[in-house]
Amino acid sequence: MLVLGIECTAHTFGIGIVDCKNKKVLFNEKNQYKDDENGMELRKLSEFHTSNFTEILSKAKKFLETKNKSFKDLDLISFSQGPGIGNSLKIGSLVAKTISKQYNIPLVGVNHIKAHLEIGKMLTGFTDPMFLYVSGVNTQIIAKDEFGKYKIYGETEDIGLGNLFDSFSRQAGLGFPGGPIIEKLSNESNKNYIELPYAIKGMNITLAGLYTNLQQKLDSKKFDLKDLCYSLQETCFAVTMEVCERAMAYTNKKEMLIVGGVASNKRLTRMAKDMCGIRGARYDSFEMQYAMDNGAMIAWQGFVDKEKSTTDITKFPIAQYINIESDI
Ligand code: AMP
Ligand code: MG
């Protein structure tokens, strides 16, 4: 079954084509909006997507031609219904619905977060993992409950890990995105730990206090920047891992995966591996192109949700504010 997936929830316009019966990603291309100074300005973001989606679409068309196929040979079109930024979601939905209508191919709208999780399972062969979902905005600890529904076991009560890295990096004049820069500086540091707030509330964490404290330390000019980066990583990853471990103990899960952009941080994955090792659980990772926003994960989620597909393109309205526990 050949499924084409369209990702357009925020900064990325991506298309993936997956041979779902054989669990093989055939094509996965994307364009990403980036504005180092202003972040995501909504008007510019929609201009970016409207003027760039044709490039990825023609790459997909050309790819199919190399396999002696065309859009007509697709079995299903899948797109991110939500959650995300309205301006982006509308464009992804419009492109998906247009292809579906033009070639009379069934369509399905999917939950972007579920797609992040399910592609991880498909690629690793894990069946029932505890997920740490860490993107720019989100920091959530998610797994299936006893009824087989995804449930959030813990999360940040304010900013996400990615946002914390990006905000601190901007503040320190280091650039955007902050995560990779802070990881590099942390590796270069002398590993002198500077005490920072460590805030866990039940199964949730808070990071805003940590950020304010870091800002004050930065402004005081009394601390080495590399040591601050090191201490930031150690502290925010340790609080996150503590909640992951509690969630694994509570649910008795024996597998763990990390998805989202922050998953590329080697210190975070090291902590996860160590924690799983101590618990006799398995940790696995997969190629970063599939852990970040991408079209292949949307195609795969379309396959998972194929029973909901229809050629009636009036179905599947965009859903900006859904979460992992929603019905979509
Ligand atoms: P996403 O929203 O899933 O596209 O992820 C983007 C976020 O991942 C940004 O906030 C980045 O700063 C963060 N990120 C990317 N690479 C790293 C890294 N090596 N360490 C920590 N955060 C990272
Ligand atoms: Mg995402």
Side-chain angles (χ1 to χ4, degrees):
M1 187 173 186
L2 207 56
V3 184
L4 181 141
I6 297 179
E7 160 56 27
C8 191
T9 53
H11 45 48
T12 298
F13 186 93
I15 293 185
I17 301 175
V18 179
D19 170 358
C20 293
K21 284 270 142 69
N22 295 310
K23 299 186 173 176
K24 247 189 119 181
V25 178
L26 306 175
F27 174 89
N28 200 28
E29 289 277 341
K30 62 180 182 181
N31 269 333
Q32 195 170 321
Y33 176 80
K34 200 164 169 263
D35 182 338
D36 292 356
E37 277 170 32
N38 306 307
M40 274 195 274
E41 214 182 282
L42 293 187
R43 192 179 48 78
K44 286 192 186 163
L45 180 66
S46 32
E47 268 171 25
F48 171 83
H49 286 314
T50 42
S51 48
N52 284 286
F53 80 86
T54 48
E55 186 190 327
I56 303 296
L57 203 58
S58 24
K59 280 189 186 167
K61 187 166 173 275
K62 280 198 189 117
F63 167 77
L64 287 169
E65 281 164 9
T66 63
K67 304 284 168 202
N68 291 322
K69 290 190 187 301
S70 74
F71 286 139
K72 274 192 280 200
D73 298 304
L74 296 167
D75 298 298
L76 181 65
I77 307 288
S78 170
F79 74 99
S80 285
Q81 211 176 331
I85 299 167
N87 292 27
S88 301
L89 291 170
K90 279 182 205 154
I91 294 162
S93 150
L94 194 63
V95 176
K97 290 183 177 187
T98 308
I99 305 174
S100 163
K101 184 80 186 161
Q102 187 171 350
Y103 299 97
N104 197 32
I105 302 164
L107 176 79
V108 66
V110 302
N111 183 319
H112 170 94
I113 309 173
K114 285 185 189 161
H116 266 302
L117 310 187
E118 291 292 330
I119 190 93
K121 279 164 62 183
M122 187 270 255
L123 293 168
T124 59
F126 277 7
T127 54
D128 187 21
M130 180 60 65
F131 289 98
L132 171 58
Y133 172 41
V134 272
S135 62
V137 183
N138 299 283
T139 296
Q140 292 181 326
I141 292 91
I142 303 168
K144 287 219 167 144
D145 65 12
E146 65 269 39
F147 307 107
K149 282 199 75 174
Y150 279 119
K151 181 178 154 84
I152 301 166
Y153 285 90
E155 62 186 325
T156 174
E157 286 184 3
D158 39 49
I159 53 173
L161 279 180
N163 274 352
L164 172 67
F165 281 104
D166 295 338
S167 306
F168 179 66
S169 180
R170 272 215 189 91
Q171 188 81 19
L174 297 172
F176 179 86
I181 306 167
I182 289 172
E183 181 173 17
K184 182 170 175 285
L185 293 184
S186 171
N187 288 338
E188 291 168 7
S189 76
N190 292 322
K191 306 207 170 6
N192 293 317
Y193 182 73
I194 300 159
E195 189 97 19
L196 292 168
Y198 185 100
I200 291 196
K201 295 184 177 175
M203 290 291 282
N204 291 338
I205 62 174
T206 62
L207 298 169
L210 170 62
Y211 176 51
T212 309
N213 192 282
L214 267 170
Q215 275 178 304
Q216 288 163 350
K217 290 200 161 72
L218 184 70
D219 291 345
S220 77
K221 298 194 169 56
K222 287 186 193 147
F223 300 89
D224 179 72
L225 182 58
K226 290 180 180 176
D227 282 337
L228 278 178
C229 291
Y230 166 74
S231 309
L232 161 61
Q233 281 202 166
E234 292 303 301
T235 313
C236 70
F237 291 160
V239 275
T240 309
M241 232 14 91
E242 187 174 331
V243 175
C244 291
E245 183 165 21
R246 285 184 193 182
M248 289 182 82
Y250 176 65
T251 56
N252 207 20
K253 303 282 182 202
K254 294 289 180 206
E255 298 165 334
M256 183 185 181
L257 292 175
I258 307 182
V259 299
V262 187
S264 61
N265 189 292
K266 298 272 186 303
R267 180 61 184 138
L268 177 64
T269 52
R270 180 74 256 164
M271 281 193 192
K273 271 180 212 161
D274 290 347
M275 183 270 280
C276 287
I278 292 164
R279 300 194 54 74
R282 290 195 296 153
Y283 172 83
D284 204 354
S285 58
F286 47 92
E287 257 186 81
M288 266 318 287
Q289 63 160 317
Y290 303 119
M292 308 180 80
D293 289 358
N294 69 93
M297 71 179 194
I298 304 303
W300 177 253
Q301 187 62 34
F303 178 72
V304 173
D305 289 343
K306 58 184 178 306
E307 303 309 329
K308 294 190 216 161
S309 68
T310 167
T311 46
D312 178 0
I313 62 160
T314 63
K315 300 282 186 261
F316 313 118
I318 62 158
Q320 264 173 279
Y321 303 111
I322 55 170
N323 70 17
I324 190 73
E325 295 177 357
S326 309
D327 286 333
I328 295 171

